[in-house]
Amino acid sequence: MNRYAEILIDMISNAVDRPFHYRIFPEFSNSIKPGMQVTVPFGSRSCQGYVLRVLDHTPVEKLRDITAVVDPEPLLTAEQLALIHWLAMRYYCRKIDALHALLPASFRRGGSPFKVEVLELVHQACEANLNRAPVQQKAVRLLKEKGPLQRRELIRLGISAAVICSLEKKNLIRKNRVLSIPQRRTTEKKPTTPRLLSEAQAECFNRVCRAIDNPQPQRILLHGITASGKTEIYLQGIARCLELGKTALILVPEISLTPQMIEHFEGRFPGRVAVLHSRIRGAEKNRQWQMILSGEARVVLGARSAIFAPLNDIGLIVIDEEHETTYKQEEAPRYHARDVAWWRARRHRAVLLLGSATPSLESYYQASIGNTQLLSMKERVTPTQLPPVTVVDMRRELKEGHRHIFSRVLLRELEGVLERDEQALLFINRRGFAGFVLCRECGFVVRCPSCDVSMTLHLDSGTMRCHYCGHEQEVPQTCPQCGGHKIRYFSAGTQRVEEEMKKLYPDVSLIRMDSDTTGSRNAHNYFYRHFREGKASILIGTQMIAKGLDFPNVTLVGVVAADTALNLPDFRAPERTFQLITQVAGRTARGPRGGKVIVQTYHPSHYSIRAAAAHDYNAFFEEEIEKRRMLGYPPFADMIRFLFSGEEEETVMAAAAWFTEQLSLLGLPGELLGPAPASLYRIKGFYRIQTILRGDNLVPYAPRIRKIMQEYHSRKPVWPVRLAVDFNPQVVL
Ligand code: ADP
Ligand code: ZN
């Protein structure tokens, strides 16, 4: 009987984003398994593909044969195959994009790179039959004694290539590929000793252990203020998993994956930690993977994509700083590591431990309705206090004749820091480039009446637009709230802050850290060390520098313009502001000298700023969750963003309009917003137009939405317009 295989073609193209059926050559009939990499004819050429399923029947009539098997062992596990399917459905991506996210490129070029080809005996091979060929006899004896050997090893033992060849012809030996054993790096290092847990830590740790021992998958949110000692709980939780013979996976934001952090984990589990992040490439990446596959590494520490690490028998998955936007991938597959983690935790019946001082609204909401266990730590574990936060009203500064970007309070505090030879951090929001219109006299910002996001200024038309729903209006000449005339475009960047600082203190050494200055591989670590060693007094940067910094000599943190975060044209702007202030505040008062935080804003009464200044997460959550509920934003609805981009404005608009029309015919639950120009309307010559679908539980509609996508991609002539679909985007600009 013939058998068939459903094959995923390894080609990045929407046209081949469906399984193709091939006939399995009878000779392979029993050896082809799901997950194997194979070669198949495709059109006039030959392609790599992956076996998704083996079938006994196929409705397809004209079938071609699988040409070759790249590796006799499946490259993809059953878990990976299931995950590829889930990623493609959930995040509206091509299956091949999902597969590529799961496997390093080196694996796709001809099977696992850790496999070596060996020669082994076929069962019935027997020296007796080779009486008249003593060298062949010797070869068979060697293979019997030593087990499978590589060709060159046999040759070194005195067996010529010709002899090997004739044994193969007689079907006495055959080729096989086996996992090569990595050389064990014996570490003499003694593991660092676990710390004695504080009472609050012990309480949380016990609950984590109980969850690990429980065979049901569980999700726990560890809400612990900065420096409450969450890391120690992760470390001891991991140790518990290892004792039980299980493995553990820990994710941290890319930027906090510093050498210090890595040393911390390797120190506790010497020789057993594999590290994966985007700067680890090539041979080093292969080595880390081999450690995981061979079982040598039972702990994986990494950034977002490490969530795909091929660990077996996972007992614990930790996501530190779970609220971070970097856990969402911004290109296909546009997955959120937290959701993938929960998918894997369920499959492995493991514990998902989410840690943060400022949990995402989504996670805290899940805890508030009992879907996630909530653990909290409200005190610092070190004998230090959270710093006092002073909110400076920039409107008053202006009224009192002080127009500088640094308020008088901030300047006074900075001088104190410099006099005492301490250090200061100054923050600017990274996404400050999306401009908004602000009244400098009363702080008023123009917002969309229906979406409640700030409206974006479009310089070409001279109007303001809501980039969710498309609502458009004139730029006001006077402030609608106070009638003032100082209503204008607002922006502030790190460079500007640096220039102003240099004017004020020409002799003080400064470091500026943002994506421009830390682009190179080791720049971040260099600046980090430089500042830590006290070689600069002031560090100016975007919030990315806030992560994981631990400088005891920092006694002042200034947020130069909280408004850039607060007025992002994004419904998560208040959440980001609260997180930003809380996180940066956590960077000071870590030493015996204490510390202070100064937040400058035109909107001092805003609940995010007030709650952050009071270190009160719950107050913030209560306000924000009510607003989300009223406006129908996540976690009360799902959002799907369809972003169209292309070089010709009209075609982009036409494509977006066609697509939106098709969506509207589906009768989906919820609202269809747009098409509207994206907040960043032109990037590198591409016009960007988006449609947002917002509704309660859109997941069941995925197949119908995908169908429209397929139709969109197969329309002739094909639109010269890219379509990017993002399920529950973290950033909508
Ligand atoms: P978080 O991740 O909650 O912000 P950390 O894990 O960074 O906090 O801990 C803050 C500091 O407290 C670190 O320097 C850590 O080494 C220290 N620490 C953690 N647990 C203990 C403990 N039980 N006893 C003493 N120091 C601790
Ligand atoms: Zn709107």
Side-chain angles (χ1 to χ4, degrees):
M1 195 182 66
N2 276 321
R3 302 188 84 199
Y4 311 92
E6 197 177 273
I7 303 287
L8 175 64
I9 303 289
D10 197 344
M11 202 190 288
I12 299 186
S13 149
N14 290 311
V16 304
D17 185 28
R18 62 183 179 88
F20 289 85
H21 287 190
Y22 283 85
R23 195 166 69 107
I24 300 176
F25 213 60
E27 192 186 327
F28 294 143
S29 151
N30 289 319
S31 53
I32 294 240
K33 296 184 200 108
M36 274 186 182
Q37 194 179 15
V38 293
T39 311
V40 292
F42 194 79
S44 57
R45 49 189 179 137
S46 166
C47 268
Q48 304 278 36
Y50 305 88
V51 179
L52 297 179
R53 290 194 297 167
V54 175
L55 310 164
D56 288 328
H57 306 281
T58 173
V60 184
E61 282 178 1
K62 273 199 190 144
L63 286 165
R64 300 169 83 178
D65 290 326
I66 291 175
T67 336
V69 173
V70 177
D71 191 330
E73 285 299 315
L75 191 59
L76 296 156
T77 61
E79 180 186 8
Q80 285 171 323
L81 285 171
L83 188 52
I84 287 169
H85 182 76
W86 183 80
L87 285 169
M89 291 301 143
R90 170 57 58 93
Y91 297 108
Y92 298 90
C93 65
R94 291 177 287 244
K95 278 199 168 161
I96 200 67
D97 291 324
L99 185 143
H100 286 186
L102 260 63
L103 281 187
S106 55
F107 280 63
R108 288 180 263 123
R109 287 183 227 108
S112 161
F114 316 130
K115 295 230 174 137
V116 291
E117 193 173 276
V118 292
L119 295 164
E120 62 182 19
L121 289 178
V122 175
H123 293 310
Q124 60 278 20
C126 172
E127 297 142 76
N129 301 340
L130 297 169
N131 268 340
R132 264 169 289 157
V135 192
Q136 292 185 17
Q137 228 172 10
K138 180 181 167 198
V140 170
R141 202 168 50 241
L142 279 170
L143 288 172
K144 248 188 201 156
E145 283 166 18
K146 296 183 184 286
L149 291 171
Q150 288 181 48
R151 186 176 293 262
R152 61 183 150 91
E153 289 171 321
L154 265 180
I155 290 173
R156 211 179 305 129
L157 293 166
I159 312 294
S160 72
V163 170
I164 294 173
C165 195
S166 52
L167 282 170
E168 277 178 318
K169 277 211 191 100
K170 286 183 188 164
N171 256 335
L172 292 174
I173 63 174
R174 66 177 166 212
K175 289 179 198 148
N176 196 1
R177 277 164 60 88
V178 295
L179 195 67
S180 72
I181 313 297
Q183 306 108 316
R184 240 169 216 285
R185 289 167 311 143
T186 43
T187 46
E188 268 107 61
K189 276 200 217 135
K190 275 230 175 68
T192 56
T193 35
R195 285 174 183 275
L196 192 64
L197 296 178
S198 71
E199 210 172 300
Q201 281 175 316
E203 164 87 32
C204 294
F205 174 64
N206 288 339
R207 301 260 220 118
V208 170
C209 283
R210 237 176 289 156
I212 292 172
D213 295 345
N214 185 325
Q216 291 307 314
Q218 284 183 65
R219 196 164 45 185
I220 300 177
L221 175 62
L222 176 57
H223 177 206
I225 64 167
T226 51
S228 56
K230 296 185 286 293
T231 315
E232 191 61 36
I233 297 180
Y234 307 152
L235 288 164
Q236 299 197 19
I238 294 168
R240 174 69 162 215
C241 282
L242 298 185
E243 278 164 31
L244 295 171
K246 296 186 182 180
T247 62
L249 182 53
I250 157 149
L251 299 192
V252 298
E254 178 89 38
I255 204 72
S256 45
L257 206 50
T258 54
Q260 293 84 347
M261 179 80 162
I262 295 167
E263 273 165 31
H264 206 47
F265 279 80
E266 277 176 348
R268 193 66 64 87
F269 309 106
R272 285 189 290 175
V273 180
V275 179
L276 297 175
H277 57 77
S278 64
R279 284 167 317 217
I280 289 184
R281 298 202 187 98
E284 181 55 22
K285 183 165 180 178
N286 279 350
R287 212 181 66 75
Q288 300 294 332
W289 267 71
Q290 192 173 12
M291 278 175 70
I292 301 168
L293 289 173
S294 67
E296 184 187 343
R298 302 187 62 77
V299 178
V300 174
L301 169 65
R304 178 181 63 224
S305 64
I307 194 56
F308 299 120
L311 283 172
N312 287 320
D313 219 351
I314 301 174
L316 176 67
I317 304 177
V318 175
I319 301 189
D320 188 32
E321 311 281 6
E322 67 90 29
H323 62 277
E324 270 297 312
T325 43
T326 59
Y327 287 124
K328 178 75 162 57
Q329 175 148 300
E330 306 243 6
E331 62 221 50
R334 296 181 175 78
Y335 66 91
H336 199 300
R338 199 201 293 134
D339 297 336
V340 178
W342 182 229
W343 186 94
R344 292 197 78 186
R346 283 195 314 242
R347 191 167 174 108
H348 289 257
R349 296 168 168 272
V351 173
L352 171 59
L353 179 58
L354 306 169
S356 175
T358 52
S360 63
L361 261 266
E362 283 86 347
S363 295
Y364 204 83
Y365 176 69
Q366 288 304 320
S368 75
I369 59 171
N371 286 347
T372 298
Q373 194 183 149
L374 180 64
L375 304 178
S376 42
M377 295 199 291
K378 299 193 170 72
E379 303 284 332
R380 281 187 163 181
V381 68
T382 49
T384 55
Q385 298 292 315
L386 284 174
V389 179
T390 307
V391 178
V392 180
D393 185 347
M394 294 305 275
R395 299 170 306 185
R396 257 188 65 192
E397 288 290 298
L398 185 75
K399 224 174 266 163
E400 289 168 12
H402 185 81
R403 315 173 138 260
H404 205 271
I405 64 167
F406 303 124
S407 63
R408 289 163 295 180
V409 186
L410 183 56
L411 287 174
R412 200 162 53 235
E413 291 296 340
L414 269 171
E415 257 154 47
V417 163
L418 297 174
E419 258 163 39
R420 294 188 302 269
D421 213 11
E422 294 166 354
Q423 290 176 304
L425 302 175
L426 292 180
F427 288 98
I428 276 290
N429 189 50
R430 176 168 63 103
R431 303 262 189 192
F433 54 74
F436 55 94
V437 172
L438 173 124
C439 170
R440 290 195 61 183
E441 285 174 59
C442 76
F444 177 81
V445 169
V446 183
R447 296 180 165 270
C448 170
S450 43
C451 306
D452 197 44
V453 296
S454 68
M455 308 229 338
T456 307
L457 186 65
H458 286 260
L459 292 170
D460 42 359
S461 59
T463 57
M464 296 197 305
R465 283 205 186 153
C466 167
H467 71 118
Y468 281 17
C469 73
H471 172 74
E472 186 173 1
Q473 67 185 60
E474 295 291 311
V475 182
Q477 294 304 305
T478 53
C479 172
Q481 185 167 283
C482 73
H485 295 282
K486 292 204 174 73
I487 181 157
R488 58 187 66 135
Y489 184 74
F490 186 92
S491 79
T494 44
Q495 226 169 328
R496 165 97 198 281
V497 173
E498 186 185 23
E499 281 161 18
E500 293 293 331
M501 264 298 156
K502 277 190 177 148
K503 270 191 231 156
L504 284 169
Y505 307 107
D507 303 327
V508 169
S509 62
L510 301 173
I511 298 179
R512 172 161 71 96
M513 262 170 97
D514 53 30
S515 46
D516 292 336
T517 64
T518 59
S520 81
R521 259 181 93 158
N522 293 315
H524 183 262
N525 280 317
Y526 171 78
F527 286 131
Y528 182 93
R529 227 171 299 130
H530 200 75
F531 192 63
R532 177 151 205 134
E533 288 162 9
K535 290 183 184 145
S537 310
I538 300 174
L539 179 63
I540 298 168
T542 56
Q543 73 259 41
M544 75 173 214
I545 68 171
K547 302 292 150 353
L549 298 186
D550 195 350
F551 303 126
N553 202 31
V554 169
T555 55
L556 177 66
V557 165
V559 177
V560 180
D563 305 270
T564 49
L566 202 52
N567 294 304
L568 272 183
D570 189 321
F571 75 91
R572 286 193 178 87
E575 184 178 4
R576 300 276 174 257
T577 307
F578 180 83
Q579 288 165 352
L580 170 73
I581 298 174
T582 308
Q583 294 290 341
V584 302
R587 298 307 121 208
T588 185
R590 293 177 88 94
R593 288 188 242 192
K596 280 184 186 161
V597 181
I598 291 176
V599 177
Q600 304 192 145
T601 178
Y602 286 90
H603 207 335
S605 60
H606 193 279
Y607 62 90
S608 319
I609 292 179
R610 289 222 315 247
H615 304 295
D616 189 347
Y617 179 86
N618 284 41
F620 165 72
F621 177 79
E622 295 299 332
E623 283 260 358
E624 181 65 11
I625 201 77
E626 264 325 299
K627 221 178 92 188
R628 298 272 182 99
R629 195 195 308 270
M630 261 162 45
L631 293 164
Y633 282 122
F636 299 101
D638 287 324
M639 262 170 101
I640 307 177
R641 176 216 222 186
F642 302 89
L643 179 68
F644 302 86
S645 59
E647 285 171 275
E648 259 180 66
E649 199 168 6
E650 271 154 47
T651 14
V652 180
M653 197 61 212
W658 179 87
F659 197 94
T660 310
E661 169 74 18
Q662 299 302 307
L663 282 177
S664 71
L665 297 175
L666 287 184
L668 296 157
E671 261 180 298
L672 209 47
L673 305 174
S679 166
L680 302 174
Y681 185 43
R682 279 193 83 181
I683 297 182
K684 292 179 189 147
F686 278 71
Y687 291 90
R688 301 163 81 245
I689 291 177
Q690 68 189 18
T691 289
I692 292 172
L693 173 60
R694 187 168 72 172
D696 193 11
N697 197 9
L698 295 172
V699 171
Y701 291 86
R704 274 176 267 172
I705 295 170
R706 287 178 67 93
K707 212 154 173 203
I708 299 180
M709 289 168 64
Q710 266 163 14
E711 215 177 306
Y712 176 86
H713 291 305
S714 63
R715 265 173 77 97
K716 296 280 182 301
V718 180
W719 306 102
V721 177
R722 256 197 66 183
L723 166 60
V725 184
D726 199 342
F727 178 78
N728 282 342
Q730 284 293 306
V731 179
V732 187
L733 289 179

